[in-house]
Amino acid sequence: MMKLNGLARRYRVDDGRGFRLAVWDPGDANGLIDETSAQGLVQLSEIQERLCAQDHWAVLLILQGMDTAGKGSAARYIMSRMEPQGCQVTAFGRPSAEELDHDFMWRTTRHLPERGRIGIFRRSYYEEVLVVRVHSDILGNQRLPPKLVTRKIWKERFEDINAFERYLTRNGTLVLKFFLNLSKEEHKRRLLARLDDPTKQWKFDPESATEHQRWDDYMKAYEEMVRATATPDSPWHVIPADNRWFALLVVASAVVDAMEGLGLAAPDIGQQLQERLLSARAVLENE
Ligand code: AMP
Ligand code: MG
């Protein structure tokens, strides 16, 4: 069985300064695309058990990427070996009227994972520097006081996000961010495949085609996002996403590495419980 450790290291960005998206190959598969290596996920479920038993740390996984990049499959894959009660997935789409009546962190904050649990965000407050940046009319509808909407707004949002993530980290939430880096060609191919398949058409967002046309603007926004918000405490992983299975493995590997870094020992059950377990064994064996 393949161990997942280390696979993700070369895709991790700890310091975003100077980050250039153009040198990251969405088609990279590091020489392996092999479904059977998915068995390495057993590691994940063991670590989750310890996370839950210790009940000190929370883990937040943020999945970002264009439509069809594989955010849903990544969430499903990570969840597939987890105790369902220890893991929750939240998807963030276009904000509701109620959500727009609050600051931009409000809706995500309510879904942060509690200690001992893993929370997966499918999209997140990062949309505020992605889709909102690419489509300036969205910003216009956010009902911000006009004098606060200046050219500095993206820089300010980056600062606020960094401050927020540092706050989470200092309070015991491990924040790991994943950019599923799809190529423009593969994006087009997947959108057309969705259109061609009657069972998948319901998933097709008619706006995806327009988003495809804005590809370069999106990539620029993603690049600046990584530059401004990749830090040692909450790194971005730039995941080559053209090969679905490889992307899933790298995400899982990054999660395993980071969670192992927390040093979660198996919980100490204490002498009293130890003694009670011994007598329980005696009861069973003497029956
Ligand atoms: P999906 O993830 O396919 O359900 O699509 C959700 C849609 O909501 C995407 O087009 C996102 O760009 C959009 N979206 C997510 N967050 C925001 C936001 N804060 N403001 C505007 N649109 C958003
Ligand atoms: Mg979608």
Side-chain angles (χ1 to χ4, degrees):
M1 182 174 80
M2 193 189 104
K3 283 238 172 192
L4 288 175
N5 303 69
L7 181 63
R9 211 157 292 150
R10 50 192 281 221
Y11 304 106
R12 174 174 165 137
V13 184
D14 279 321
D15 179 352
R17 285 171 294 179
F19 174 77
R20 276 181 50 238
L21 186 55
V23 301
W24 292 72
D25 175 11
D28 185 4
N30 201 12
L32 39 73
I33 315 171
D34 178 2
E35 277 189 45
T36 58
S37 38
Q39 289 163 6
L41 276 180
V42 172
Q43 273 180 283
L44 252 187
S45 72
E46 287 164 3
I47 305 173
Q48 185 207 12
E49 228 177 77
R50 279 179 270 149
L51 184 80
C52 176
Q54 298 242 314
D55 207 14
H56 289 309
W57 287 93
V59 176
L60 173 63
L61 310 177
I62 294 183
L63 302 173
Q64 288 290 161
M66 298 296 283
D67 225 358
T68 76
K71 301 181 292 295
S73 354
R76 267 197 305 282
Y77 187 66
I78 297 290
M79 291 282 285
S80 63
R81 299 296 171 91
M82 299 262 173
E83 289 297 330
Q85 69 272 22
C87 191
Q88 79 217 26
V89 182
T90 318
F92 297 98
R94 294 180 187 91
S96 67
E98 188 195 18
E99 288 167 348
L100 285 175
D101 243 353
H102 292 268
D103 59 278
F104 76 80
M105 296 281 192
W106 183 75
R107 64 172 180 160
T108 39
T109 307
R110 307 165 80 204
H111 295 280
L112 289 171
E114 37 190 288
R115 298 189 198 284
R117 288 184 174 222
I118 300 174
I120 303 180
F121 283 0
R122 276 184 65 173
R123 305 186 192 269
S124 65
Y125 44 80
Y126 279 104
E127 291 293 324
E128 296 290 334
V129 293
L130 295 168
V131 67
V132 181
R133 192 170 187 183
V134 170
H135 297 280
S136 50
D137 55 309
I138 300 182
L139 186 63
N141 289 328
Q142 288 195 341
R143 325 235 329 264
L144 288 158
K147 75 175 238 193
L148 298 184
V149 183
T150 70
R151 278 173 38 221
K152 287 190 301 188
I153 193 161
W154 312 116
K155 186 168 168 282
E156 289 168 352
R157 287 191 170 184
F158 289 142
E159 283 170 10
D160 293 339
I161 288 172
N162 284 334
F164 178 65
E165 290 179 354
R166 192 171 56 228
Y167 163 81
L168 288 180
T169 308
R170 286 175 173 166
N171 279 274
T173 297
L174 175 68
V175 184
L176 296 174
K177 304 172 300 201
F178 299 90
F179 165 36
L180 298 169
N181 181 26
L182 200 64
S183 68
K184 188 176 181 185
E185 299 68 44
E186 180 65 13
H187 185 239
K188 179 174 170 180
R189 206 189 59 73
R190 289 186 188 179
L191 288 179
L192 287 172
R194 229 175 233 191
L195 279 177
D196 287 343
D197 180 350
T199 67
K200 297 265 170 68
Q201 282 169 353
W202 64 273
K203 278 203 210 178
F204 194 90
D205 181 347
E207 280 179 28
S208 294
T210 344
E211 301 300 81
H212 183 76
Q213 290 181 311
R214 303 296 299 271
W215 189 264
D216 293 346
D217 295 331
Y218 268 108
M219 292 309 114
K220 194 160 178 292
Y222 275 107
E223 181 173 80
E224 291 195 13
M225 172 194 79
V226 175
R227 277 190 192 159
T229 61
T231 66
D233 280 339
S234 52
W236 274 103
H237 291 82
V238 182
I239 306 289
D242 281 3
N243 297 295
R244 278 188 191 278
W245 270 103
F246 186 65
L248 300 183
L249 281 184
V250 180
V251 171
S253 157
V255 176
V256 165
D257 281 346
M259 286 177 67
E260 286 194 342
L262 295 177
L264 304 165
D268 182 4
I269 57 171
Q271 181 147 16
Q272 221 185 350
L273 182 55
Q274 193 103 51
E275 281 164 13
R276 293 183 62 194
L277 295 186
L278 279 176
S279 36
R281 169 182 292 278
V283 170
L284 291 171
E285 286 179 346
N286 294 332
E287 196 206 40

